[in-house]
Amino acid sequence: MLDLISHIVKISSCRDRTEINAAVVDAMVNLFHPQALTIYRCYASKGKTVVFACAGWRANSRFVHNAYLPDQQYCQPIERDPLLQRCRKERSAVFEPLADGSHRIVFPVNRLNEPIYLLDLSLTEEFAADLRISLMGLIEYFDNHIALLEYGESDTLTGLASRKTFDKHLFELLGKPAVDEAPEQSVKAHPMRRRGTSGQESHWLAVCDIDHFKRVNDNFGHLIGDEVLIMLAQVMRQTFRFDDQLFRFGGEEFIALLQPTDQTSAAATLERFRNAVEQQIFSRIGHVTVSIGFSRLMPNDTPTDVIDRADEALYYVKRQGRNQVCGYESLIADGRLVARQVAKGEVELF
Ligand SMILES: Nc1nc2c(ncn2[C@@H]2O[C@H](COP(=O)(O)OP(=O)(O)OP(=O)(O)O)[C@@H](O)[C@H]2O)c(=O)[nH]1
């Protein structure tokens, strides 16, 4: 009991998904001695579910990956593992005996009737009743702690990540802090292939702004305006890939941080989103459009640098009549914008 409490205290001190996962792995390994353990984060989009093995224990060693950046090599479609798939369908714990006499048990952590995490344990023997109660209690605690964290990280209107979390995500993307402890131990059995590795790939940041949104508020009222924002967030979730990061940046401005790809693919993804918004019928008001400016994420960028470039491209779109996608780099290359002189000191401020 004391052990359980000290682990709960440790987990409760964590304010970051990666740290929480690491602390939960430690707790489970110390308390329940599994042969293997994996914490999967689940991403459901466009009718498909992808699981990301973000932390776990295998061959007597812990692995922890950055929980905010689902690395493709540790992701797989859920149907590749029938037990995980069954757990998703049943939304409750599922059990499977293994050939060596041990067994595997998977617990879901559900949100709005959809698993957001799966905890997969391989155990040598049946638990005594008190251990089973401790395990269930620990998983319930994990669920509640993640719910609190989500509340703090999300924009309350749209449910997208809020501006508050943006800098953290961006710094992690730029810096990729060394949280991977034993990547060779992680699940690589069926890695998802990243498409088109051309060597020209980088992350891209897009600023998306609803056109003439003030008119929506003025003509239909703020409640309808809010509905438009909620629906736009839904279109965003349906259009982008599960590992692209989406934020409501404030007001009617949204940000998409795209996983590495080339400029043509980034432009095509954003064009697909622009078109999806244009085609969407928003109840009461009909159609709205978005203007989008985007820019490549450079290694020495601060959040402000890349946002400023994407914003310049966005202002260009607004001046040109709105409802378009423009990339800062292309606008500079063909002379439609003049490159900004970035006055930076020798010392980067991060
Ligand atoms: N309903 C609602 N409106 C918001 C929210 N946040 C900001 N707004 C409104 O968004 C509008 C933004 O207006 P502007 O910045 O003038 O831009 P615009 O009308 O979209 O025009 P362009 O960007 O030039 O196409 C303002 O009317 C704000 O009040 C919100 O959370 N809910």
Side-chain angles (χ1 to χ4, degrees):
M1 184 61 131
L2 273 178
D3 271 358
L4 177 62
I5 291 173
S6 74
H7 279 294
I8 297 267
V9 169
K10 170 101 191 294
I11 300 166
S12 71
S13 70
C14 303
R15 298 285 175 272
D16 167 287
R17 285 175 192 260
T18 312
E19 288 172 13
I20 293 172
N21 290 343
V24 168
V25 170
D26 289 345
M28 292 206 160
V29 168
N30 288 341
L31 297 169
F32 311 114
H33 314 293
Q35 286 172 304
L37 157 69
T38 307
I39 298 179
Y40 291 100
R41 198 165 167 190
C42 304
Y43 297 90
S45 83
K46 301 179 199 160
K48 290 187 183 149
T49 301
V50 170
V51 289
F52 164 40
C54 46
W57 173 261
R58 198 145 304 193
N60 291 321
S61 133
R62 186 178 81 166
F63 66 89
V64 181
H65 305 302
N66 189 326
Y68 293 88
L69 302 172
D71 190 328
Q72 293 270 337
Q73 64 178 317
Y74 310 122
C75 293
Q76 58 176 332
I78 196 166
E79 58 273 16
R80 295 253 170 91
D81 187 325
L83 195 64
L84 298 184
Q85 171 81 320
R86 226 181 88 208
C87 186
R88 193 196 77 80
K89 277 200 178 131
E90 296 179 16
R91 274 101 166 123
S92 61
V94 291
F95 172 92
E96 180 181 71
L98 300 175
D100 63 1
S102 62
H103 61 274
R104 201 178 145 205
I105 184 159
V106 182
F107 297 88
V109 169
N110 297 317
R111 199 74 76 241
L112 300 173
N113 210 25
E114 188 64 41
I116 53 166
Y117 281 91
L118 297 174
L119 286 86
D120 179 355
L121 290 103
S122 296
L123 299 159
T124 40
E125 43 195 73
E126 279 287 321
F127 275 165
D130 59 335
L131 275 185
R132 229 177 301 152
I133 291 168
S134 298
L135 177 61
M136 301 299 290
L138 185 62
I139 292 172
E140 230 171 287
Y141 179 77
F142 175 65
D143 185 349
N144 291 342
H145 196 56
I146 291 291
L148 269 177
L149 199 73
E150 277 171 350
Y151 182 73
E153 288 177 343
S154 310
D155 165 53
T156 42
L157 184 68
T158 62
L160 295 181
S162 65
R163 180 172 196 153
K164 229 174 16 185
T165 59
F166 174 77
D167 285 7
K168 175 181 165 60
H169 279 72
L170 199 66
F171 281 130
E172 295 208 2
L173 264 190
L174 291 166
K176 285 239 178 194
V179 290
D180 288 7
E181 293 179 4
E184 71 282 1
Q185 303 295 343
S186 54
V187 178
K188 284 185 170 179
H190 299 286
M192 290 178 60
R193 288 272 154 259
R194 172 153 301 290
R195 50 210 94 168
T197 40
S198 64
Q200 299 294 310
E201 302 193 334
S202 41
H203 290 275
W204 299 87
L205 179 138
V207 183
C208 316
D209 187 277
I210 304 177
D211 296 327
H212 299 302
F213 190 60
K214 189 171 179 314
R215 286 188 205 160
V216 174
N217 279 328
D218 291 348
N219 296 340
F220 301 93
H222 267 75
L223 274 183
I224 298 293
D226 283 356
E227 269 182 38
V228 171
L229 296 173
I230 293 168
M231 203 156 195
L232 191 97
Q234 276 169 9
V235 176
M236 243 179 149
R237 282 195 201 90
Q238 285 156 11
T239 314
F240 289 95
R241 285 177 36 209
F242 77 92
D243 50 353
D244 295 326
Q245 323 253 326
L246 309 176
F247 304 84
R248 180 175 175 218
F249 214 52
E252 82 297 14
E253 199 167 85
F254 295 79
I255 281 193
L257 209 43
L258 304 188
Q259 286 293 313
T261 189
D262 57 46
Q263 185 163 359
T264 311
S265 306
T269 301
L270 295 167
E271 177 56 27
R272 192 177 67 213
F273 170 59
R274 186 208 60 74
N275 187 50
V277 174
E278 193 176 27
Q279 301 304 320
Q280 179 74 42
I281 297 171
F282 291 80
S283 60
R284 303 275 289 275
I285 66 163
H287 291 275
V288 300
T289 59
V290 284
S291 295
I292 302 174
F294 70 101
S295 180
R296 183 192 300 271
L297 202 58
M298 307 296 281
N300 293 325
D301 272 341
T302 63
T304 315
D305 293 334
V306 62
I307 288 174
D308 281 354
R309 292 195 303 271
D311 261 345
E312 276 204 49
L314 172 67
Y315 296 142
Y316 177 86
V317 172
K318 293 276 181 186
R319 288 196 300 272
Q320 295 302 306
R322 301 174 172 81
N323 191 22
Q324 284 177 49
V325 178
C326 277
Y328 175 83
E329 288 74 13
S330 305
L331 292 174
I332 297 291
D334 55 25
R336 286 182 285 166
L337 274 185
V338 178
R340 295 179 320 126
Q341 290 295 317
V342 182
K344 268 195 184 177
E346 305 237 324
V347 181
E348 290 287 351
L349 293 176
F350 73 99

